[in-house]
Amino acid sequence: MTKKVAVILSGCGVYDGAEIHESVITLLRLDQRGAKVQCFAPNIAQHHVINHTTGEEMPESRNVLVESARIARGEISDVRDLDAADFDALIIPGGFGAAKNLSDFAISGAACVVQPDVLAAAKGFAEAGKPVGLICIAPHLAAKIYGEGVSCTIGNDAGTAAALGAMGAQHVDCTVSEIVEDEQRKLVTTPAYMLAQSISEAAAGIYKLVDRVLELTH
């Protein structure tokens, strides 16, 4: 039976949106495994816009849903319309957009607030006992979705791991090619570009995450 997977994007570009390599690798692996995918994003303004050639902020405004549509080739919906009942699993790629647009973790750290529509959608999967995959920096959302005691990884960065701990998550150090699974909650996480030095390194862990998320739908 074909599995239906929702993917929440956070814009387009590592510094102010969804990490493009992580997003495409996720979509590629889901397609290779025969899953049916629907992309979603919040219909909100980005936190800011970054010039990806210089790293400098640009004096303009962009919409997260509109920018995410670039990665999804136009096939994207507002995350407020995402109902866990319609899908078997959820995956959220990383990139700074996950910590700037899906929440304000990049600014507020452990005191961050998650965008309400994103949080409601993700909690729907958690409450239904459906598997969720969080990639790169996206695992900072875990404690907000599941509450205290959830196990996850962002790799081995001590400062970020400490922030996750302050939020109530249990951080597990993890190499770039591996995954961490919270079996009780059906949550799978992998470091990807928190550690990856190449696209193939990022793919190694993301492929394992996608495969395990799909296994957990059975």
Side-chain angles (χ1 to χ4, degrees):
M1 183 177 178
T2 300
K3 299 299 181 180
K4 296 179 65 178
V5 180
V7 175
I8 296 179
L9 301 174
S10 57
C12 183
V14 58
Y15 299 125
D16 58 11
E19 213 295 320
I20 296 173
H21 290 178
E22 292 176 1
S23 301
V24 173
I25 291 166
T26 298
L27 297 174
L28 171 62
R29 188 58 172 174
L30 286 167
D31 185 66
Q32 288 176 336
R33 293 298 307 275
K36 182 177 181 181
V37 180
Q38 176 61 48
C39 291
F40 294 86
N43 187 12
I44 58 174
Q46 288 184 189
H47 170 69
H48 59 190
V49 179
I50 297 295
N51 181 328
H52 279 58
T53 62
T54 65
E56 296 177 354
E57 188 170 348
M58 300 173 68
E60 61 180 88
S61 176
R62 297 187 187 181
N63 179 280
V64 177
L65 180 65
V66 172
E67 291 301 295
S68 298
R70 295 175 180 273
I71 297 174
R73 295 175 61 86
E75 294 295 326
I76 197 161
S77 299
D78 191 328
V79 74
R80 72 176 53 187
D81 298 324
L82 173 51
D83 186 343
D86 298 330
F87 294 89
D88 298 294
L90 168 69
I91 297 178
I92 306 179
F96 275 107
K100 291 178 178 178
N101 303 326
L102 302 189
S103 83
D104 61 351
F105 180 75
I107 297 91
S108 303
C112 71
V113 175
V114 182
Q115 200 278 333
D117 297 326
V118 172
L119 184 59
K123 279 191 169 183
F125 284 87
E127 292 165 0
K130 295 183 176 182
V132 174
L134 301 176
I135 298 168
C136 189
I137 194 62
H140 80 273
L141 300 167
K144 297 292 187 178
I145 297 169
Y146 294 95
E148 290 195 10
V150 61
S151 295
C152 61
T153 190
I154 46 77
N156 57 22
D157 181 75
T160 309
L164 267 61
M167 294 166 68
Q170 294 183 351
H171 182 264
V172 181
D173 281 357
C174 180
T175 59
V176 67
S177 62
E178 295 301 324
I179 59 175
V180 168
E181 179 180 345
D182 186 315
E183 295 182 4
Q184 178 185 346
R185 297 169 177 83
K186 294 186 179 180
L187 172 67
V188 187
T189 55
T190 194
Y193 274 107
M194 289 296 291
L195 293 177
Q197 298 298 308
S198 67
I199 189 170
S200 59
E201 283 191 359
I206 293 172
Y207 274 26
K208 288 181 180 177
L209 178 141
V210 170
D211 289 353
R212 185 56 182 154
V213 165
L214 291 175
E215 289 171 0
L216 290 171
T217 65
H218 295 291

